[in-house]
Amino acid sequence: MNPLVAPELLWALLIAALLVTLGMLGTLVVQRSSRRARERRRRELDGRLRRLVLEATIADDDELPALLDRMRALDRGEHAHIGRTVFMMLQDVTGEAADRLRAVAAAVGLAPLVLDAARHRSAVRRADAAEALGRLAPEGALELLLELADDREPEVRTVAVRALGSFEDPIAVDAVTRALATESGVPSTVAATALLQQGSAASERVRQALRDPDAGIRRGAARVAGLLQVPGAGEELVRLVQDEHESVRLAAMRSLERLPVRDALGPLVEQALAGGTRGEAAARTIAAMPSAWRGEALRALDRAEPGVRRAAGLPRREALA
Amino acid sequence: MSWLHDALEAIFAVLAWPSAVYFIVANTSMLVLILVASRHFARYLRRSEHRGEDAMAGSPVSLGVTVIVPAYNEGAVILTSVRSMLDLRYPDHEVIVVNDGSADETMQLLKQEFALVEDDRDLPGRIPVRGRLRGVWRAPEGAVPLVVVDKENSGRSDSVNAALDLASKELVVMVDADSILEPDALLSVSKPFADDPDRVVATGGVVRIVNNSRVLGGRIVELRMPKQLITRIQVVEYLRAFLLGRTAWSDLNALILISGAFGMFRRDVLVELGGLDPDSIGEDFELVMRIQRWIRDGHRDARVRFVAEPVSWTEAPSTLKVLARQRRRWHRGLWEVLWKFRGMLLHPRYGRVGMLALPYYWLFELLAPLIELVGIVIVVLGLLVGAVDPVAALLLLLVSYGYGTIVTLAAVVVEEASFHRYERWRDLAAVLWAVLAESLGYRQLTAIWRIQGWWAALTGRKQVWGEMTRTGFAGASASGSSGPGQAERGD
């Protein structure tokens, strides 16, 4: 008989496997039990403290100090829970209610923690701090966020740039615009979204950015110019329809859908007849132009490829079989 | 029978250690993948405070997404499915449904519900489509554009190609009509494109099993483990292979398989590659392999990513017959794709895909059922003719399957520490029972089916698709007694 492998070794392996299995089962039970206990505790705190936070957001001015005093008197665990609640609520709240939430955050001592975390050696903690600085906006937040927007870690820079979207200061606008650069390490959509959040405060800088030598900055600026309805951007966008970079051309065409300029029709027809993705984008932009302008341009697209004709909303040449 | 006895003894002498080494390496490889995935999850979850998906959800500069929904005889689920696709949280998406020559009321239901009008715009014709188009329709109202393509039956891949031809957004995501997407699924699965728009060309989201969960209006309101044991075991399989395995391969930049039930791609790349291969059984696998070859052959700095958080929920087979058909099809698809791309195997030009992922798939996915079954047959024969010590043989089997069970248990521990989707204690108990039961007959059965699928491919037998039946999600729960069609497309 062939024993294959020494039975003693197999027994030892089997016992080891059983022990590991038991260890894992124990881990599972401990993990689940402790998570459930944490959730219970969180629910219990939520039941008591969320109401207090909500009261603070709607209280009259003379009632607020008393409410904040009540919160200050709570213990550390309760402060942490209020901090988390405020942090989450600030995601969906603006205006006076947001200011009240920030006052609550200050009362439970959240701001100093966030300011400290902004200089933590862990990139994750710095990124978390950047997020919190954007929402809580404590004193000194802008300066810290500008620092974090130049952090060595792209992850931190990204969160900082997104957070800078809540600040309308020209320095913040400039930092966000610079983050549009090709080599910034910050996703273009993040920086462009932050510029949109800054709104009209960013308009002039966006108009200048349309002439920036960096293609990434031109692309981002072109993308938001139409959405922000930047005054005087139309002519620049027409020029960018023939930019040397395809992505800039596409962004300019999309913006012209919202910021129509009659002079754009010539270059757009040219792009549309070239076909492909660029042609389809140009055709969509032509179709979005005021009906009084676009007739001749649409007729010119009669000889364009079918995908372009479809994007322009032109009917099929032949019926389906 | 002494010759058989001697022959088996000789075989044991030669094969015993290589087989043991094979089992150890196979399970250890999976364990390593689980560890890589758990490290990824830890990093991912630590960043939950500042991922910024909400900022993206409201941003008009996000990349547009076309959701492609191929539908064949989906009358039971189509309206719920389309409504849930239209309601997905995303700033700029459109939905294109392709009615693939359904024999049921799929098309009529869509026309009535969305008051469809004929879309007489030109057809791009960028991608060849085999099935004759009967018409293109669009919903005249609604914040999210809806286009419905009505065509003669030509299969899922061809239907996806028909929709791809009409897609107008930068990204396309393919979703099965019987799948349920979580509301934020598009936001999560498109995030790698937003974070790294110049390099990411494809992403895959995780597919999980919905059987027995409570579903209302196309949304899961209560997640429960399936009732049937074979479906429960599939939950564990999906967890180990799809969630953890693919996360790890993605982390290693060697992801070669994205589920057809939930994959997102850059549209221009798909158009350049000619869309899905309508002749391929493993069309999703084939597509990702083509993308990987396109990346490496063109020396492109591009990535295929897997995202563990967005979830597409799908019904899994709940009968042995349906499961058997699914596994035969999967293994046949696996063989055909691996064979088609055999030139990439161990070719340094293809980097980790050629040197790591493909050898793994050949050795531990394609050959695994063959080696396992041969091993079992030899051990049983050896026991019958007395060529092997019964105690030692039993111990060897216990150790081999025991190690596999530990690896699967490790996957459950990682899931519990990360996403912990099944909250009830009884569900955890059901998962643990499924982990144990997987080795007690299920693995061996699936090994047989997989060999059958492989054999069918080698002998050139035609793939039989089987009848499709749907329970639908409109009711209180998805019972899981569905037919083969959607289950086969689970991956």
PDB file of all heavy atoms in Angstrom, chain B residues 68-100:
ATOM      1  N   ILE B  68     -26.377  50.546 -21.438  1.00  0.00           N
ATOM      2  CA  ILE B  68     -26.885  49.654 -22.491  1.00  0.00           C
ATOM      3  C   ILE B  68     -27.560  48.445 -21.837  1.00  0.00           C
ATOM      4  O   ILE B  68     -26.954  47.748 -21.014  1.00  0.00           O
ATOM      5  CB  ILE B  68     -25.733  49.185 -23.398  1.00  0.00           C
ATOM      6  CG1 ILE B  68     -25.178  50.390 -24.172  1.00  0.00           C
ATOM      7  CG2 ILE B  68     -26.187  48.087 -24.342  1.00  0.00           C
ATOM      8  CD1 ILE B  68     -23.984  50.068 -25.055  1.00  0.00           C
ATOM      9  N   VAL B  69     -28.817  48.230 -22.191  1.00  0.00           N
ATOM     10  CA  VAL B  69     -29.584  47.139 -21.588  1.00  0.00           C
ATOM     11  C   VAL B  69     -30.114  46.213 -22.679  1.00  0.00           C
ATOM     12  O   VAL B  69     -31.148  46.492 -23.282  1.00  0.00           O
ATOM     13  CB  VAL B  69     -30.772  47.691 -20.773  1.00  0.00           C
ATOM     14  CG1 VAL B  69     -31.437  46.582 -19.959  1.00  0.00           C
ATOM     15  CG2 VAL B  69     -30.363  48.828 -19.871  1.00  0.00           C
ATOM     16  N   PRO B  70     -29.416  45.138 -22.995  1.00  0.00           N
ATOM     17  CA  PRO B  70     -29.970  44.179 -23.952  1.00  0.00           C
ATOM     18  C   PRO B  70     -31.090  43.376 -23.294  1.00  0.00           C
ATOM     19  O   PRO B  70     -30.981  43.009 -22.119  1.00  0.00           O
ATOM     20  CB  PRO B  70     -28.782  43.274 -24.290  1.00  0.00           C
ATOM     21  CG  PRO B  70     -27.833  43.420 -23.158  1.00  0.00           C
ATOM     22  CD  PRO B  70     -28.105  44.721 -22.477  1.00  0.00           C
ATOM     23  N   ALA B  71     -32.175  43.145 -24.040  1.00  0.00           N
ATOM     24  CA  ALA B  71     -33.320  42.454 -23.419  1.00  0.00           C
ATOM     25  C   ALA B  71     -33.899  41.416 -24.370  1.00  0.00           C
ATOM     26  O   ALA B  71     -34.232  41.745 -25.515  1.00  0.00           O
ATOM     27  CB  ALA B  71     -34.389  43.486 -23.058  1.00  0.00           C
ATOM     28  N   TYR B  72     -33.995  40.203 -23.888  1.00  0.00           N
ATOM     29  CA  TYR B  72     -34.641  39.153 -24.675  1.00  0.00           C
ATOM     30  C   TYR B  72     -35.689  38.481 -23.788  1.00  0.00           C
ATOM     31  O   TYR B  72     -35.345  37.893 -22.752  1.00  0.00           O
ATOM     32  CB  TYR B  72     -33.612  38.130 -25.156  1.00  0.00           C
ATOM     33  CG  TYR B  72     -34.242  36.952 -25.871  1.00  0.00           C
ATOM     34  CD1 TYR B  72     -34.829  37.117 -27.126  1.00  0.00           C
ATOM     35  CD2 TYR B  72     -34.275  35.689 -25.280  1.00  0.00           C
ATOM     36  CE1 TYR B  72     -35.427  36.053 -27.770  1.00  0.00           C
ATOM     37  CE2 TYR B  72     -34.872  34.622 -25.918  1.00  0.00           C
ATOM     38  CZ  TYR B  72     -35.450  34.803 -27.161  1.00  0.00           C
ATOM     39  OH  TYR B  72     -36.055  33.757 -27.796  1.00  0.00           O
ATOM     40  N   ASN B  73     -36.933  38.590 -24.145  1.00  0.00           N
ATOM     41  CA  ASN B  73     -38.035  38.024 -23.354  1.00  0.00           C
ATOM     42  C   ASN B  73     -37.946  38.440 -21.883  1.00  0.00           C
ATOM     43  O   ASN B  73     -37.931  37.608 -20.984  1.00  0.00           O
ATOM     44  CB  ASN B  73     -38.033  36.498 -23.461  1.00  0.00           C
ATOM     45  CG  ASN B  73     -38.508  36.040 -24.829  1.00  0.00           C
ATOM     46  OD1 ASN B  73     -38.988  36.845 -25.633  1.00  0.00           O
ATOM     47  ND2 ASN B  73     -38.369  34.762 -25.100  1.00  0.00           N
ATOM     48  N   GLU B  74     -37.859  39.729 -21.665  1.00  0.00           N
ATOM     49  CA  GLU B  74     -37.710  40.252 -20.304  1.00  0.00           C
ATOM     50  C   GLU B  74     -38.994  40.921 -19.828  1.00  0.00           C
ATOM     51  O   GLU B  74     -38.952  41.814 -18.985  1.00  0.00           O
ATOM     52  CB  GLU B  74     -36.554  41.269 -20.246  1.00  0.00           C
ATOM     53  CG  GLU B  74     -35.219  40.766 -20.727  1.00  0.00           C
ATOM     54  CD  GLU B  74     -34.498  39.918 -19.697  1.00  0.00           C
ATOM     55  OE1 GLU B  74     -35.089  39.653 -18.638  1.00  0.00           O
ATOM     56  OE2 GLU B  74     -33.365  39.496 -19.972  1.00  0.00           O
ATOM     57  N   GLY B  75     -40.129  40.501 -20.398  1.00  0.00           N
ATOM     58  CA  GLY B  75     -41.402  41.133 -20.062  1.00  0.00           C
ATOM     59  C   GLY B  75     -41.644  41.242 -18.558  1.00  0.00           C
ATOM     60  O   GLY B  75     -42.206  42.225 -18.089  1.00  0.00           O
ATOM     61  N   ALA B  76     -41.194  40.240 -17.802  1.00  0.00           N
ATOM     62  CA  ALA B  76     -41.469  40.228 -16.360  1.00  0.00           C
ATOM     63  C   ALA B  76     -40.713  41.320 -15.609  1.00  0.00           C
ATOM     64  O   ALA B  76     -41.154  41.778 -14.560  1.00  0.00           O
ATOM     65  CB  ALA B  76     -41.112  38.869 -15.777  1.00  0.00           C
ATOM     66  N   VAL B  77     -39.583  41.741 -16.146  1.00  0.00           N
ATOM     67  CA  VAL B  77     -38.743  42.675 -15.377  1.00  0.00           C
ATOM     68  C   VAL B  77     -38.452  43.981 -16.103  1.00  0.00           C
ATOM     69  O   VAL B  77     -37.924  44.910 -15.490  1.00  0.00           O
ATOM     70  CB  VAL B  77     -37.377  42.021 -15.018  1.00  0.00           C
ATOM     71  CG1 VAL B  77     -37.565  40.847 -14.088  1.00  0.00           C
ATOM     72  CG2 VAL B  77     -36.606  41.603 -16.262  1.00  0.00           C
ATOM     73  N   ILE B  78     -38.789  44.062 -17.380  1.00  0.00           N
ATOM     74  CA  ILE B  78     -38.238  45.156 -18.191  1.00  0.00           C
ATOM     75  C   ILE B  78     -38.627  46.544 -17.673  1.00  0.00           C
ATOM     76  O   ILE B  78     -37.788  47.450 -17.630  1.00  0.00           O
ATOM     77  CB  ILE B  78     -38.608  44.980 -19.693  1.00  0.00           C
ATOM     78  CG1 ILE B  78     -37.757  45.920 -20.548  1.00  0.00           C
ATOM     79  CG2 ILE B  78     -40.093  45.216 -19.962  1.00  0.00           C
ATOM     80  CD1 ILE B  78     -36.315  45.604 -20.574  1.00  0.00           C
ATOM     81  N   LEU B  79     -39.861  46.726 -17.260  1.00  0.00           N
ATOM     82  CA  LEU B  79     -40.267  48.077 -16.851  1.00  0.00           C
ATOM     83  C   LEU B  79     -39.576  48.481 -15.550  1.00  0.00           C
ATOM     84  O   LEU B  79     -39.065  49.598 -15.426  1.00  0.00           O
ATOM     85  CB  LEU B  79     -41.790  48.156 -16.711  1.00  0.00           C
ATOM     86  CG  LEU B  79     -42.571  47.983 -18.024  1.00  0.00           C
ATOM     87  CD1 LEU B  79     -44.068  48.129 -17.784  1.00  0.00           C
ATOM     88  CD2 LEU B  79     -42.114  48.968 -19.074  1.00  0.00           C
ATOM     89  N   THR B  80     -39.557  47.562 -14.609  1.00  0.00           N
ATOM     90  CA  THR B  80     -38.879  47.858 -13.338  1.00  0.00           C
ATOM     91  C   THR B  80     -37.414  48.155 -13.609  1.00  0.00           C
ATOM     92  O   THR B  80     -36.829  49.085 -13.042  1.00  0.00           O
ATOM     93  CB  THR B  80     -38.977  46.633 -12.401  1.00  0.00           C
ATOM     94  OG1 THR B  80     -40.309  46.171 -12.411  1.00  0.00           O
ATOM     95  CG2 THR B  80     -38.546  46.972 -11.005  1.00  0.00           C
ATOM     96  N   SER B  81     -36.837  47.337 -14.478  1.00  0.00           N
ATOM     97  CA  SER B  81     -35.414  47.490 -14.766  1.00  0.00           C
ATOM     98  C   SER B  81     -35.126  48.840 -15.418  1.00  0.00           C
ATOM     99  O   SER B  81     -34.228  49.568 -14.977  1.00  0.00           O
ATOM    100  CB  SER B  81     -34.989  46.339 -15.694  1.00  0.00           C
ATOM    101  OG  SER B  81     -33.726  46.576 -16.206  1.00  0.00           O
ATOM    102  N   VAL B  82     -35.893  49.200 -16.440  1.00  0.00           N
ATOM    103  CA  VAL B  82     -35.632  50.458 -17.150  1.00  0.00           C
ATOM    104  C   VAL B  82     -35.864  51.646 -16.221  1.00  0.00           C
ATOM    105  O   VAL B  82     -35.066  52.588 -16.191  1.00  0.00           O
ATOM    106  CB  VAL B  82     -36.495  50.561 -18.425  1.00  0.00           C
ATOM    107  CG1 VAL B  82     -36.367  51.943 -19.065  1.00  0.00           C
ATOM    108  CG2 VAL B  82     -36.084  49.494 -19.421  1.00  0.00           C
ATOM    109  N   ARG B  83     -36.930  51.566 -15.432  1.00  0.00           N
ATOM    110  CA  ARG B  83     -37.190  52.680 -14.501  1.00  0.00           C
ATOM    111  C   ARG B  83     -36.022  52.846 -13.534  1.00  0.00           C
ATOM    112  O   ARG B  83     -35.581  53.951 -13.241  1.00  0.00           O
ATOM    113  CB  ARG B  83     -38.483  52.439 -13.725  1.00  0.00           C
ATOM    114  CG  ARG B  83     -39.689  53.012 -14.436  1.00  0.00           C
ATOM    115  CD  ARG B  83     -40.909  53.058 -13.530  1.00  0.00           C
ATOM    116  NE  ARG B  83     -42.043  52.473 -14.213  1.00  0.00           N
ATOM    117  CZ  ARG B  83     -42.555  51.284 -13.963  1.00  0.00           C
ATOM    118  NH1 ARG B  83     -42.059  50.537 -13.000  1.00  0.00           N
ATOM    119  NH2 ARG B  83     -43.570  50.834 -14.651  1.00  0.00           N
ATOM    120  N   SER B  84     -35.508  51.726 -13.028  1.00  0.00           N
ATOM    121  CA  SER B  84     -34.405  51.839 -12.067  1.00  0.00           C
ATOM    122  C   SER B  84     -33.135  52.361 -12.755  1.00  0.00           C
ATOM    123  O   SER B  84     -32.356  53.082 -12.149  1.00  0.00           O
ATOM    124  CB  SER B  84     -34.150  50.519 -11.346  1.00  0.00           C
ATOM    125  OG  SER B  84     -33.548  49.607 -12.216  1.00  0.00           O
ATOM    126  N   MET B  85     -32.955  52.033 -14.039  1.00  0.00           N
ATOM    127  CA  MET B  85     -31.785  52.563 -14.769  1.00  0.00           C
ATOM    128  C   MET B  85     -31.928  54.070 -14.980  1.00  0.00           C
ATOM    129  O   MET B  85     -30.973  54.824 -14.905  1.00  0.00           O
ATOM    130  CB  MET B  85     -31.629  51.897 -16.149  1.00  0.00           C
ATOM    131  CG  MET B  85     -31.488  50.395 -16.138  1.00  0.00           C
ATOM    132  SD  MET B  85     -30.011  49.834 -15.326  1.00  0.00           S
ATOM    133  CE  MET B  85     -30.349  48.080 -15.217  1.00  0.00           C
ATOM    134  N   LEU B  86     -33.157  54.500 -15.273  1.00  0.00           N
ATOM    135  CA  LEU B  86     -33.397  55.934 -15.479  1.00  0.00           C
ATOM    136  C   LEU B  86     -33.210  56.712 -14.174  1.00  0.00           C
ATOM    137  O   LEU B  86     -32.823  57.877 -14.186  1.00  0.00           O
ATOM    138  CB  LEU B  86     -34.810  56.173 -16.028  1.00  0.00           C
ATOM    139  CG  LEU B  86     -35.083  55.665 -17.446  1.00  0.00           C
ATOM    140  CD1 LEU B  86     -36.575  55.745 -17.769  1.00  0.00           C
ATOM    141  CD2 LEU B  86     -34.295  56.453 -18.487  1.00  0.00           C
ATOM    142  N   ASP B  87     -33.483  56.039 -13.054  1.00  0.00           N
ATOM    143  CA  ASP B  87     -33.414  56.716 -11.748  1.00  0.00           C
ATOM    144  C   ASP B  87     -32.021  56.670 -11.121  1.00  0.00           C
ATOM    145  O   ASP B  87     -31.839  57.141  -9.997  1.00  0.00           O
ATOM    146  CB  ASP B  87     -34.401  56.061 -10.767  1.00  0.00           C
ATOM    147  CG  ASP B  87     -35.838  56.400 -11.132  1.00  0.00           C
ATOM    148  OD1 ASP B  87     -36.026  57.363 -11.892  1.00  0.00           O
ATOM    149  OD2 ASP B  87     -36.758  55.700 -10.665  1.00  0.00           O
ATOM    150  N   LEU B  88     -31.059  56.078 -11.796  1.00  0.00           N
ATOM    151  CA  LEU B  88     -29.719  56.001 -11.207  1.00  0.00           C
ATOM    152  C   LEU B  88     -29.190  57.401 -10.927  1.00  0.00           C
ATOM    153  O   LEU B  88     -29.438  58.325 -11.704  1.00  0.00           O
ATOM    154  CB  LEU B  88     -28.761  55.277 -12.162  1.00  0.00           C
ATOM    155  CG  LEU B  88     -28.977  53.772 -12.305  1.00  0.00           C
ATOM    156  CD1 LEU B  88     -28.104  53.223 -13.423  1.00  0.00           C
ATOM    157  CD2 LEU B  88     -28.662  53.051 -11.001  1.00  0.00           C
ATOM    158  N   ARG B  89     -28.452  57.517  -9.829  1.00  0.00           N
ATOM    159  CA  ARG B  89     -27.923  58.843  -9.465  1.00  0.00           C
ATOM    160  C   ARG B  89     -26.680  59.126 -10.304  1.00  0.00           C
ATOM    161  O   ARG B  89     -25.627  58.507 -10.072  1.00  0.00           O
ATOM    162  CB  ARG B  89     -27.585  58.843  -7.971  1.00  0.00           C
ATOM    163  CG  ARG B  89     -27.601  60.216  -7.343  1.00  0.00           C
ATOM    164  CD  ARG B  89     -27.750  60.098  -5.856  1.00  0.00           C
ATOM    165  NE  ARG B  89     -26.532  59.695  -5.198  1.00  0.00           N
ATOM    166  CZ  ARG B  89     -25.713  60.518  -4.556  1.00  0.00           C
ATOM    167  NH1 ARG B  89     -25.987  61.787  -4.481  1.00  0.00           N
ATOM    168  NH2 ARG B  89     -24.633  60.064  -3.961  1.00  0.00           N
ATOM    169  N   TYR B  90     -26.820  59.986 -11.291  1.00  0.00           N
ATOM    170  CA  TYR B  90     -25.684  60.360 -12.120  1.00  0.00           C
ATOM    171  C   TYR B  90     -26.049  61.635 -12.871  1.00  0.00           C
ATOM    172  O   TYR B  90     -27.189  61.790 -13.321  1.00  0.00           O
ATOM    173  CB  TYR B  90     -25.339  59.236 -13.115  1.00  0.00           C
ATOM    174  CG  TYR B  90     -23.946  59.385 -13.666  1.00  0.00           C
ATOM    175  CD1 TYR B  90     -22.843  59.013 -12.914  1.00  0.00           C
ATOM    176  CD2 TYR B  90     -23.716  59.963 -14.915  1.00  0.00           C
ATOM    177  CE1 TYR B  90     -21.557  59.191 -13.387  1.00  0.00           C
ATOM    178  CE2 TYR B  90     -22.430  60.149 -15.394  1.00  0.00           C
ATOM    179  CZ  TYR B  90     -21.357  59.762 -14.626  1.00  0.00           C
ATOM    180  OH  TYR B  90     -20.071  59.948 -15.095  1.00  0.00           O
ATOM    181  N   PRO B  91     -25.102  62.563 -13.017  1.00  0.00           N
ATOM    182  CA  PRO B  91     -25.488  63.846 -13.602  1.00  0.00           C
ATOM    183  C   PRO B  91     -25.787  63.806 -15.104  1.00  0.00           C
ATOM    184  O   PRO B  91     -26.500  64.658 -15.612  1.00  0.00           O
ATOM    185  CB  PRO B  91     -24.274  64.747 -13.326  1.00  0.00           C
ATOM    186  CG  PRO B  91     -23.161  63.836 -13.034  1.00  0.00           C
ATOM    187  CD  PRO B  91     -23.744  62.589 -12.472  1.00  0.00           C
ATOM    188  N   ASP B  92     -25.210  62.857 -15.833  1.00  0.00           N
ATOM    189  CA  ASP B  92     -25.388  62.882 -17.286  1.00  0.00           C
ATOM    190  C   ASP B  92     -25.377  61.451 -17.833  1.00  0.00           C
ATOM    191  O   ASP B  92     -24.319  60.921 -18.152  1.00  0.00           O
ATOM    192  CB  ASP B  92     -24.236  63.702 -17.910  1.00  0.00           C
ATOM    193  CG  ASP B  92     -24.331  63.765 -19.428  1.00  0.00           C
ATOM    194  OD1 ASP B  92     -25.424  63.519 -19.968  1.00  0.00           O
ATOM    195  OD2 ASP B  92     -23.305  64.064 -20.073  1.00  0.00           O
ATOM    196  N   HIS B  93     -26.559  60.839 -17.892  1.00  0.00           N
ATOM    197  CA  HIS B  93     -26.595  59.499 -18.480  1.00  0.00           C
ATOM    198  C   HIS B  93     -27.826  59.320 -19.363  1.00  0.00           C
ATOM    199  O   HIS B  93     -28.807  60.045 -19.238  1.00  0.00           O
ATOM    200  CB  HIS B  93     -26.487  58.396 -17.423  1.00  0.00           C
ATOM    201  CG  HIS B  93     -27.730  58.112 -16.638  1.00  0.00           C
ATOM    202  ND1 HIS B  93     -28.240  58.968 -15.695  1.00  0.00           N
ATOM    203  CD2 HIS B  93     -28.550  57.034 -16.626  1.00  0.00           C
ATOM    204  CE1 HIS B  93     -29.311  58.440 -15.138  1.00  0.00           C
ATOM    205  NE2 HIS B  93     -29.543  57.247 -15.693  1.00  0.00           N
ATOM    206  N   GLU B  94     -27.702  58.399 -20.310  1.00  0.00           N
ATOM    207  CA  GLU B  94     -28.821  58.028 -21.167  1.00  0.00           C
ATOM    208  C   GLU B  94     -28.955  56.510 -21.098  1.00  0.00           C
ATOM    209  O   GLU B  94     -28.004  55.812 -20.712  1.00  0.00           O
ATOM    210  CB  GLU B  94     -28.566  58.475 -22.621  1.00  0.00           C
ATOM    211  CG  GLU B  94     -27.382  57.757 -23.269  1.00  0.00           C
ATOM    212  CD  GLU B  94     -27.173  58.126 -24.739  1.00  0.00           C
ATOM    213  OE1 GLU B  94     -27.936  58.937 -25.286  1.00  0.00           O
ATOM    214  OE2 GLU B  94     -26.217  57.596 -25.336  1.00  0.00           O
ATOM    215  N   VAL B  95     -30.121  56.008 -21.436  1.00  0.00           N
ATOM    216  CA  VAL B  95     -30.361  54.561 -21.386  1.00  0.00           C
ATOM    217  C   VAL B  95     -30.762  54.099 -22.784  1.00  0.00           C
ATOM    218  O   VAL B  95     -31.627  54.698 -23.421  1.00  0.00           O
ATOM    219  CB  VAL B  95     -31.476  54.222 -20.369  1.00  0.00           C
ATOM    220  CG1 VAL B  95     -31.779  52.727 -20.380  1.00  0.00           C
ATOM    221  CG2 VAL B  95     -31.081  54.677 -18.967  1.00  0.00           C
ATOM    222  N   ILE B  96     -30.096  53.056 -23.259  1.00  0.00           N
ATOM    223  CA  ILE B  96     -30.485  52.459 -24.547  1.00  0.00           C
ATOM    224  C   ILE B  96     -30.857  50.998 -24.287  1.00  0.00           C
ATOM    225  O   ILE B  96     -30.030  50.200 -23.838  1.00  0.00           O
ATOM    226  CB  ILE B  96     -29.352  52.520 -25.589  1.00  0.00           C
ATOM    227  CG1 ILE B  96     -28.924  53.978 -25.821  1.00  0.00           C
ATOM    228  CG2 ILE B  96     -29.802  51.876 -26.900  1.00  0.00           C
ATOM    229  CD1 ILE B  96     -27.853  54.163 -26.886  1.00  0.00           C
ATOM    230  N   VAL B  97     -32.109  50.674 -24.533  1.00  0.00           N
ATOM    231  CA  VAL B  97     -32.585  49.302 -24.372  1.00  0.00           C
ATOM    232  C   VAL B  97     -32.641  48.672 -25.765  1.00  0.00           C
ATOM    233  O   VAL B  97     -33.093  49.312 -26.708  1.00  0.00           O
ATOM    234  CB  VAL B  97     -34.001  49.282 -23.747  1.00  0.00           C
ATOM    235  CG1 VAL B  97     -34.486  47.850 -23.539  1.00  0.00           C
ATOM    236  CG2 VAL B  97     -34.013  50.040 -22.433  1.00  0.00           C
ATOM    237  N   VAL B  98     -32.155  47.443 -25.878  1.00  0.00           N
ATOM    238  CA  VAL B  98     -32.237  46.756 -27.168  1.00  0.00           C
ATOM    239  C   VAL B  98     -33.153  45.548 -27.009  1.00  0.00           C
ATOM    240  O   VAL B  98     -32.835  44.609 -26.255  1.00  0.00           O
ATOM    241  CB  VAL B  98     -30.844  46.287 -27.643  1.00  0.00           C
ATOM    242  CG1 VAL B  98     -30.950  45.689 -29.044  1.00  0.00           C
ATOM    243  CG2 VAL B  98     -29.869  47.445 -27.652  1.00  0.00           C
ATOM    244  N   ASN B  99     -34.285  45.602 -27.684  1.00  0.00           N
ATOM    245  CA  ASN B  99     -35.172  44.446 -27.675  1.00  0.00           C
ATOM    246  C   ASN B  99     -34.672  43.468 -28.747  1.00  0.00           C
ATOM    247  O   ASN B  99     -34.795  43.712 -29.940  1.00  0.00           O
ATOM    248  CB  ASN B  99     -36.615  44.890 -27.975  1.00  0.00           C
ATOM    249  CG  ASN B  99     -37.538  43.695 -28.106  1.00  0.00           C
ATOM    250  OD1 ASN B  99     -37.473  42.770 -27.298  1.00  0.00           O
ATOM    251  ND2 ASN B  99     -38.374  43.691 -29.130  1.00  0.00           N
ATOM    252  N   ASP B 100     -34.100  42.356 -28.270  1.00  0.00           N
ATOM    253  CA  ASP B 100     -33.418  41.419 -29.170  1.00  0.00           C
ATOM    254  C   ASP B 100     -34.413  40.396 -29.732  1.00  0.00           C
ATOM    255  O   ASP B 100     -34.301  39.191 -29.504  1.00  0.00           O
ATOM    256  CB  ASP B 100     -32.289  40.731 -28.395  1.00  0.00           C
ATOM    257  CG  ASP B 100     -31.437  39.845 -29.283  1.00  0.00           C
ATOM    258  OD1 ASP B 100     -31.400  40.089 -30.499  1.00  0.00           O
ATOM    259  OD2 ASP B 100     -30.823  38.898 -28.749  1.00  0.00           O
TER     260      ASP B 100
END
